[in-house]
Amino acid sequence: MQYIVFTDLDGTLVDYDTYSYQAALPAIHLLKEEGIPLVFCTSKTRAEIEVYLDELELLHPFISENGGAIFIPHGYFDVDFVVSRSTDKYDVIELGTDYNILRNVLLNIASSEGLSLVGFGDMTDAELSEDTGLDVGSACLAKQREYDEAFRLYGDENDADRLISSIGSKGLNYTLGGRYWHIIGDNDKGKAVRILTQVYRKQLGDIKTVGLGDSLNDRPMLMEVDIAFLVLKANGEHDPAITDEKVTRIPGVGPQGWNMAIMGLLE
Ligand SMILES: [Mg+2]
């Protein structure tokens, strides 16, 4: 039986404030020792994810921008799968909607509904660094978006309701991460996990999938995997939007909780 581990990054594998995975290193090393694939499934961009993969010396596929695309290193699988495009490093399976379309729709909604929205595309690297706590170089990588616009809504519940229905009326979707709203196409983390799981299953046969997250945008992934873990948010609470019985609630914040969950699983 081979495990495949899918994980969110912000607020889950990496700390909400410091973006450090230090507390999860024991479990990360154990996964590597056991030859268990660790697949990042995050709202982060390809460029941001690659920094973590390089640091951790991981060579597995990953899922960017809330299921916008699956990036599979060339030669990782022997079996065939349908590819949308290829880059010098990856076969890419695209599920998301082009970033420029998402940006345009969001700007139209903001002006037609009179909503105060500020997206990553509206901010300079320095402003985004200030807003996220990322260093300026990392903020620059976070702005290299392809399939998802992250934004803040400055408004009340009524504004949020109008935003949600406007996004829906344009045939698009939204989700909520730890810090930001996201406007996305017909993709989510769960759809991407399902497709990549099919390829792993074709390659490896009998597998068991594991998912770890902290926020509403992780819910589709947690519903898709065999074993689902929810870590505590920085405020010491589990996300109230995730109430599903199959999800195991880990009594640890972010990467501390992540370490507990994986250590417990492999014990
Ligand atoms: Mg998160």
Side-chain angles (χ1 to χ4, degrees):
M1 168 65 64
Q2 169 78 53
Y3 284 121
I4 311 289
V5 176
F6 294 94
T7 186
D8 174 47
L9 293 180
D10 291 342
T12 302
L13 179 59
V14 307
D15 182 85
Y16 180 84
D17 291 307
T18 65
Y19 296 96
S20 168
Y21 47 74
Q22 201 66 32
L25 275 176
I28 293 171
H29 287 142
L30 188 56
L31 290 177
K32 288 172 87 168
E33 274 169 38
E34 306 267 327
I36 297 171
L38 176 55
V39 177
F40 294 168
C41 183
T42 169
S43 55
K44 285 186 176 299
T45 63
R46 174 193 55 74
E48 291 179 281
I49 296 166
E50 283 178 332
V51 173
Y52 286 98
L53 293 175
D54 286 350
E55 283 180 13
L56 291 168
E57 297 177 333
L58 291 169
L59 296 163
H60 298 292
F62 60 87
I63 296 163
S64 72
E65 295 182 73
N66 284 308
I70 306 166
F71 292 82
I72 300 170
H74 289 307
Y76 185 85
F77 292 113
D78 301 319
V79 296
D80 286 334
F81 51 92
V82 177
V83 172
S84 313
R85 63 182 171 94
S86 274
T87 71
D88 56 338
K89 285 161 100 172
Y90 309 106
D91 293 319
V92 186
I93 303 173
E94 290 185 307
L95 307 171
T97 297
D98 183 84
Y99 177 73
N100 295 308
I101 294 173
L102 301 173
R103 277 283 299 166
N104 281 334
V105 169
L106 195 63
L107 291 171
N108 285 336
I109 290 172
S111 78
S112 67
E113 294 292 324
L115 294 171
S116 177
L117 307 174
V118 178
F120 280 24
D122 300 310
M123 289 188 252
T124 63
D125 295 353
E127 286 167 344
L128 186 59
S129 167
E130 180 75 16
D131 204 54
T132 55
L134 293 168
D135 61 63
V136 175
S138 301
C140 175
L141 300 181
K143 279 168 58 72
Q144 295 178 22
R145 310 198 70 77
E146 298 172 285
Y147 310 102
D148 168 314
E149 174 64 330
F151 62 96
R152 283 194 192 276
L153 164 67
Y154 295 97
D156 57 21
E157 252 174 60
N158 174 42
D159 294 324
D161 288 343
R162 282 190 298 133
L163 172 64
I164 290 168
S165 73
S166 298
I167 291 173
S169 74
K170 307 280 186 186
L172 296 171
N173 296 289
Y174 82 98
T175 191
L176 291 165
R179 272 188 179 77
Y180 297 103
W181 288 75
H182 297 265
I183 181 169
I184 52 180
D186 191 25
N187 52 283
D188 60 44
K189 291 188 177 190
K191 287 178 183 168
V193 165
R194 188 183 317 151
I195 289 167
L196 188 51
T197 296
Q198 283 165 357
V199 184
Y200 268 114
R201 194 159 276 139
K202 205 169 165 188
Q203 173 84 35
L204 298 171
D206 202 10
I207 58 171
K208 196 160 244 178
T209 56
V210 180
L212 301 104
D214 75 313
S215 294
L216 180 64
N217 63 335
D218 298 313
R219 188 170 177 270
M221 168 176 71
L222 298 178
M223 294 299 98
E224 196 58 42
V225 293
D226 298 314
I227 302 169
F229 295 111
L230 187 70
V231 298
L232 291 169
K233 286 176 166 288
N235 65 6
E237 286 172 21
H238 287 116
D239 192 314
I242 299 175
T243 55
D244 310 270
E245 221 167 272
K246 76 170 273 191
V247 177
T248 300
R249 285 161 179 71
I250 299 294
V253 176
Q256 287 87 9
W258 199 96
N259 200 64
M260 290 165 71
I262 295 295
M263 288 301 198
L265 178 76
L266 299 181
E267 216 162 49

